Amino acid sequence: MKLLSLTVLILAATAGSAQTPAYLDETRPIDERVDDALSRMTTAEKVAIIHAQSKFSSPGVQRLGIPGIWCTDGPHGIRPDVLWDEWDQAGATNDSCVAFPALTCLAATWNPEMSALYGKSIGEEARYRNKNVLLGPGVNIYRTPLNGRNFEYMGEDPYLTSRMVVPYIKGVQDNGVAACVKHYALNNQEVDRATVNVLVDDRTLHEIYLPGFKAAIKEGGAWSIMPGYNKYAGDHACENSRLLLDILKGDWAFDGVAISDWGAVHNTEKVAANGLDMEFGSWTNGLNFGASNAYDRYYLANPYLDLIMEGKADTAMLNDKARRVLRLIMRTEMNRNRPYGSLNSPAHYEAARRIAGEGIVLLKNDGDLLPVKPDVKKILVVGENAIKMMTVGGGSSSLKVQREVLPFDGIRANASSKGIEVLYERGYLGDVTGEYNGVTTGQDLKDSRSGEQLIADAVKAAKAADMVIFIGGLNKSGNQDCEGTDRLHYGLPYDQDKVIEALVAANPRTVVVGITGNAYAMPWLDKVPAVVQGWFIGSEAGNALADVLFGDVNPSGKLPFTFAASLTDYAPHAAGDKEMYPGVDGDVTYKEGLDIGYRHTDRLGKGHVNFAFGHGLSYTTFSLGKPALSSTKIDGDGSVTVTVPVTNTGSRTGAEVVQIYVRDIKSSLYRPYKELKAFEKVEVKPGETVDVSLTLDKNAFAFYDPATARWTVEPGKFEILVGTASDAIAAYLPLTVATPAAWHD
């Protein structure tokens, strides 16, 4: 690798001279450089650059001084280095990182500015580590709360996901690092993820499951994309011509690289012809095993070269793959103007803390129990998640952090500055392990007490405290929030419900903080006065959580997915139909169609939803004034602006999210009652009124017509719903669309 880098430097030093090959001259257009490089390569060299040479790298063309590509797992931090051929740790001492909040937390900020900060920060860490491709962000839709990988994604709504993914990608790629949006597409469960075949109608595919990817490509300009493990309509995503050729490279004109998930390729003929550009990780499950030195046996390696030499594979397709990979190399490793990046900087820790604080959601706060009041002199913290590191584990997003502030430590530090005593009790015993792929937490969480004794000790301490903060939820272990497995139940594990019931009976001033990437059952909800959704929030977890609990940060997070009362309140589980989840005979059928998330749960009424999509409280109060439309009648390809006055009626500065939903009163095809089509977070001072103006263009009124494969706006009556959550609509504004419109992607 050192020799190759030296070659690049020597060749680059002559760039711009008459003798310099065009592909090394950065003053030339990138496609001209790509074509020149391609013309100089042999067929074997073209095949070589489209598959891995190690667990996370691909070769360049050493003869031409073209470097290879280094990938790294994200999307919440830069994964530590592993050995060349194995998953064991490389033993580096300079590969620790800042852990940023999981993407559920980022989505919960409902703030694209936070997404831009996130992308910039993690992109700088990737660049400093000289990684060319960041394997993230993830934009798969939250279909079921059992999906173990939901914490890596951005919630249940395609519009929210689309708006949050674009700034992330731009921030990463401004560092000369490619974002690799994943997992394309319909990768919505971990059960049988490598074999499950998703059956979904075209309209649902385009309206629910593709918009996040479409925005990433067409608006974010993502330089790479990762097809998933699952099948769609009978073909694996990495070998699926409909997804890769027709939609991605056809409709969306994607000019980047489609990179396989690790071990997600199965057939040379299919993968050669159907649009995948690079293959990584075959003979591995992407997690913890893999054959050494198998790279020449990859489906896009010697078997592909043999097909070409025998005239059984299309050389034009090979050239297209190689051209895309060369373009990626020139956008990243061969871009001498990219910044140098930074690692573990104070700015990155501050960004992680700020994003976490803005994404934490105050779900319930009866009696204004929070923020912690001046009369509180003794706080009891209970729960394993208060003392357990959450940056290690969970699959490929597991990290080796420079530091992680635990919730208990953050609370204790904040409280001590205010003269408050903080005590701790375990309450329950969960998973005491702390290791993934050779990274260990170093924590000893063993406890010999019985479950009954743990509860008894916590109850005794709770009675003597002024306030109790229970910090529980899920963790990164198998069958919880973890890649490779789904949850087995909707409820909290380890008898936590029993612990919470006992605590609130002993001390009614009890706060429950859920550290999870998923929704969960809350049978104690009516008894507990305050509930906070804390997410997996990374290196600054304890500080960010304490910021909110003590009021140093006024919470402004909003849920990116529905917290239903029970599992059967979610559409895929409503009928107990195994064909809908987890599948029968290898097929999972999305019979619910468009009615996913709040599109389904909001119709069920009280008792079925604990906290709705978009819900989140503040330590101040807001009121929405009478909204106004710029026009009450528009053409099908026109737009309308909604202006909403937002007044802070409380006593402290805070931020509210104005949410605009659209309802089609009468349509030729079924449409959900309401669909999110615009939002904006606005900070407002006490007594101040701020006007928020949001524009709805033709996309806000369109549906995908599978009969014509076009987006269609039908003339007729619509309603503009203005509110602060999907179940908190303050105004309904009539609008008429006068003329039709239709267009292809």
Side-chain angles (χ1 to χ4, degrees), residues 330-341:
M330 292 180 186
R331 283 169 164 169
T332 57
E333 186 65 21
M334 291 181 72
N335 175 10
R336 288 180 295 156
N337 295 318
R338 57 184 178 152
Y340 291 104

Side-chain angles (χ1 to χ4, degrees), residues 16 26 60 67-68 79 98 117 124 134 146 152 212 234 301 327 335 343 389 431 464 488 511 519 552 554 728 739:
E26 291 194 50
R79 189 176 182 177
V98 172
L117 175 63
E124 288 173 346
L134 175 70
L146 299 186
E152 293 189 38
R327 186 182 293 119
N335 175 10
L343 185 69
M389 288 181 65
D431 183 2
L488 302 178
V511 179
D552 301 324
N554 191 353
T739 60

Side-chain angles (χ1 to χ4, degrees), residues 7 9 56 97 248 279 285 373 375 462 499 567 639 643 653 690:
T7 303
L9 289 172
F56 281 94
C97 69
L248 178 66
E279 178 186 3
N285 67 354
K373 299 298 184 289
D375 65 334
V499 180
L567 183 63
S639 63
T643 301
T653 298
V690 175

Side-chain angles (χ1 to χ4, degrees), residues 235-288:
D235 287 323
H236 281 95
C238 285
E239 301 158 8
N240 197 296
S241 62
R242 175 85 193 287
L243 290 177
L244 297 176
L245 294 179
D246 297 343
I247 297 173
L248 178 66
K249 296 180 177 180
D251 295 342
W252 301 346
F254 175 62
D255 71 350
V257 178
I259 300 174
S260 77
D261 206 339
W262 268 233
V265 179
H266 303 83
N267 182 283
T268 295
E269 290 81 1
K270 285 186 175 182
V271 77
N274 290 348
L276 190 80
D277 301 309
M278 290 191 78
E279 178 186 3
F280 276 87
S282 290
W283 291 283
T284 171
N285 67 354
L287 293 173
N288 54 20

Side-chain angles (χ1 to χ4, degrees), residues 150 161 175 182 196 206 232 256 357 405 416 422 431 447 558 692:
N150 277 335
T161 296
N175 288 280
K182 61 184 188 180
V196 67
H206 281 271
Y232 159 60
V405 180
S416 65
V422 179
D431 183 2
D447 198 309
K558 300 279 188 174
V692 175

Side-chain angles (χ1 to χ4, degrees), residues 403-442:
R403 69 170 187 256
E404 179 177 350
V405 180
L406 300 172
F408 175 69
D409 293 333
I411 290 170
R412 182 171 55 182
N414 196 308
S416 65
S417 69
K418 298 175 173 64
I420 302 173
E421 181 183 7
V422 179
L423 305 176
Y424 176 76
E425 282 291 341
R426 185 68 168 264
Y428 69 92
L429 188 64
D431 183 2
V432 300
T433 62
E435 186 275 337
Y436 184 81
N437 268 161
V439 176
T440 60
T441 64

Side-chain angles (χ1 to χ4, degrees), residues 365 367-377 420 467 509 549-550 619:
N365 194 26
D368 292 330
L369 183 59
L370 293 174
V372 176
K373 299 298 184 289
D375 65 334
V376 172
K377 300 303 179 185
I420 302 173
M467 183 179 188
R509 300 182 74 181
L549 293 175
F550 288 95
Y619 294 147

Side-chain angles (χ1 to χ4, degrees), residues 295-357:
Y295 311 108
D296 288 340
R297 291 183 286 158
Y298 276 23
Y299 296 100
L300 282 181
N302 286 350
Y304 185 28
L305 182 60
D306 291 343
L307 285 182
I308 292 171
M309 293 306 184
E310 295 167 5
K312 297 179 180 178
D314 185 358
T315 56
M317 188 66 78
L318 170 62
N319 286 338
D320 181 68
K321 297 177 193 295
R323 181 177 283 108
R324 290 169 180 273
V325 173
L326 288 169
R327 186 182 293 119
L328 178 63
I329 293 170
M330 292 180 186
R331 283 169 164 169
T332 57
E333 186 65 21
M334 291 181 72
N335 175 10
R336 288 180 295 156
N337 295 318
R338 57 184 178 152
Y340 291 104
S342 55
L343 185 69
N344 295 321
S345 67
H348 292 173
Y349 282 108
E350 175 58 30
R353 184 170 181 171
R354 183 180 173 193
I355 294 164

